[in-house]
Amino acid sequence: MNILILSAGTRNKIIQYFKKELAGRGKVIATDMSKLAPAIYEADKYYIVPKISDPNYIDVILDICKKENISGLLSLIDPELSLLALNNKKFKDIGVKIIGSSYEACEKSLDKFEMFKWLDKHGYNCAKTYINKEDFYKDLNSQKIKFPVFVKPVKGSASISISKVNNKETVDLLFLNNKDLIIQEFLDGQEIGADVYIDMISKKVVSIFTKKKIKMRSGETDKSVSFKDEKLFSLIKKFVKEFGYTCQIDIDIFDVNGKYYISEVNPRFGGGYPHAYECGVNNMKLIYNNLIGIENKENIDYEDGIYMMKYNEVCIKKVENEK
């Protein structure tokens, strides 16, 4: 069995974990648009591919799947998730399983305003969100919301172009230069990350790992500590079932005065997943089982109070013809 990991970038640990799981049973193939993506050099084999916006991109990936006898593939970046889901039938027709959620789930997760509307409609605690600044000003004047707030792209990831704003003048300036923005309530509480696996066969949550985030860097968890709370586990199971996610997802949650607020969801491996894996939460094994037709049973078992502290490593390679 061979696994294809797209847009590998700097996610070296994900490649390493899959290689360890498939050792003697298959290979890990990686792709990226740049030869300077260090994670590709962890794989058994890699391909340099076009940008995901290239009209021939999917055909290129399909050719790789055929050539390398791929059984399952996944992406490590948000913008590619919907693209893969949209082309699910093309991959299914050649015997390749996309390890990810539906197109609808991916699209709604990427669009922060659509996610807010869904959460609000279904009764989940979430940050007040505005796509129209005039609606925000109306609630500001009636004291339904107050500064500071976050202004961020409607669709975005890795905390790119997010601004913490304390006055109307800055809001006006940001909207003047970019119309595709939302204004989001500042949640003053403990940020939490949840790595969740939903079995591809039973569609049930079979693995949850939660950690309190201590420090962030470039939108990813840099330092964190594991913890357990059955109340939170129940909330996650209920949310996932109602929303309809499948496979690996990463949920951002806030604990505000003892109440859990769901913030955002990435239907992929999050940057903090190595914390879960190193605590014994091996979702690569769950994926392998599903790909060979084995249904996983629920097993939420890890030790709380374990810290993760990321640090830098370097990859030294002679790379030719990279612009």
Side-chain angles (χ1 to χ4, degrees):
M1 173 185 293
N2 297 333
I3 298 287
L4 177 61
I5 298 178
L6 308 177
S7 302
T10 59
R11 306 292 292 279
N12 296 51
K13 287 295 183 183
I14 299 297
I15 306 290
Q16 292 171 12
Y17 297 155
F18 270 108
K19 282 189 67 177
K20 185 176 180 180
E21 185 61 36
L22 294 182
R25 300 185 293 186
K27 294 182 179 180
V28 176
I29 316 299
T31 73
D32 202 274
M33 59 176 284
S34 172
K35 288 184 179 179
L36 299 184
I40 62 176
Y41 299 106
E42 302 279 357
D44 294 299
K45 189 174 183 180
Y46 71 85
Y47 288 84
I48 303 302
V49 298
K51 294 181 179 181
I52 64 172
S53 58
D54 189 298
N56 296 316
Y57 180 76
I58 289 295
D59 288 335
V60 171
I61 302 304
L62 286 166
D63 286 342
I64 294 172
C65 288
K66 294 173 185 176
K67 184 176 180 180
E68 299 297 338
N69 193 27
I70 299 298
S71 297
L73 85 160
L74 62 110
S75 174
L76 297 179
I77 62 170
D78 294 322
E80 191 168 18
L81 302 175
S82 295
L83 179 63
L84 291 177
L86 189 62
N87 289 277
N88 180 60
K89 186 177 185 304
K90 293 181 180 179
F91 289 98
K92 186 177 180 181
D93 287 346
I94 62 170
V96 178
K97 177 70 175 179
I98 293 177
I99 304 164
S101 292
S102 69
Y103 176 77
E104 291 75 18
C106 292
E107 279 290 286
K108 200 170 291 182
S109 301
L110 186 62
D111 189 312
K112 294 176 176 58
F113 190 64
E114 288 299 317
M115 174 58 83
F116 161 72
K117 290 194 297 182
W118 189 95
L119 290 168
D120 187 53
K121 179 181 178 181
H122 288 80
Y124 290 92
N125 294 327
C126 57
K128 293 184 181 72
T129 304
Y130 306 83
I131 201 164
N132 185 321
K133 68 175 182 175
E134 301 308 324
D135 291 338
F136 164 67
Y137 289 151
K138 182 179 178 181
D139 278 4
L140 185 68
N141 292 333
S142 61
Q143 298 184 336
K144 292 180 180 179
I145 193 169
K146 61 182 180 179
F147 286 112
V149 294
F150 283 113
V151 178
K152 58 180 72 174
V154 176
K155 295 184 178 182
S157 60
S159 295
I160 296 172
S161 300
I162 292 180
S163 301
K164 189 177 181 181
V165 177
N166 289 285
N167 54 69
K168 292 174 68 174
E169 291 76 17
T170 306
V171 172
D172 287 338
L173 181 62
L174 289 169
F175 271 79
L176 183 65
N177 295 317
N178 186 352
K179 302 300 182 184
D180 296 323
L181 297 173
I182 58 168
I183 302 166
Q184 200 162 63
E185 177 185 14
F186 171 67
L187 295 177
D188 188 10
Q190 171 65 59
E191 189 172 359
I192 294 164
D195 299 289
V196 183
Y197 188 78
I198 304 98
D199 192 82
M200 288 190 277
I201 299 173
S202 70
K203 309 301 181 185
K204 296 179 181 179
V205 172
V206 294
S207 174
I208 302 175
F209 177 87
T210 53
K211 69 263 189 184
K212 296 178 181 179
K213 299 182 181 183
I214 299 170
K215 185 178 180 181
M216 302 291 291
R217 177 171 54 169
S218 300
E220 290 191 358
T221 306
D222 200 43
K223 293 175 173 53
S224 56
V225 59
S226 63
F227 82 105
K228 295 178 178 179
D229 183 357
E230 290 298 332
K231 176 185 172 184
L232 179 55
F233 293 162
S234 296
L235 174 67
I236 289 171
K237 290 176 185 177
K238 178 177 181 292
F239 165 64
V240 167
K241 182 178 180 180
E242 290 187 0
F243 201 95
Y245 286 110
T246 308
C247 309
Q248 183 71 32
I249 67 172
D250 169 57
I251 311 175
D252 289 334
I253 302 160
F254 282 85
D255 180 351
V256 182
N257 299 322
K259 290 184 178 180
Y260 289 120
Y261 286 68
I262 296 176
S263 177
E264 298 180 8
V265 181
N266 300 307
R268 55 168 173 77
F269 281 100
Y273 172 72
H275 192 173
Y277 184 90
E278 300 297 342
C279 286
V281 182
N282 183 359
N283 290 359
M284 283 67 188
K285 182 177 181 179
L286 303 182
I287 289 172
Y288 176 81
N289 286 345
N290 278 170
L291 290 177
I292 62 173
I294 296 176
E295 179 180 324
N296 296 294
K297 302 302 180 183
E298 181 180 317
N299 182 28
I300 302 173
D301 182 23
Y302 61 90
E303 187 176 349
D304 59 5
I306 304 299
Y307 286 81
M308 177 187 76
M309 297 155 275
K310 285 186 179 178
Y311 60 95
N312 292 332
E313 296 181 10
V314 296
C315 176
I316 307 297
K317 289 282 183 181
K318 183 176 181 179
V319 180
E320 298 178 355
N321 301 322
E322 178 65 28
K323 296 181 180 180

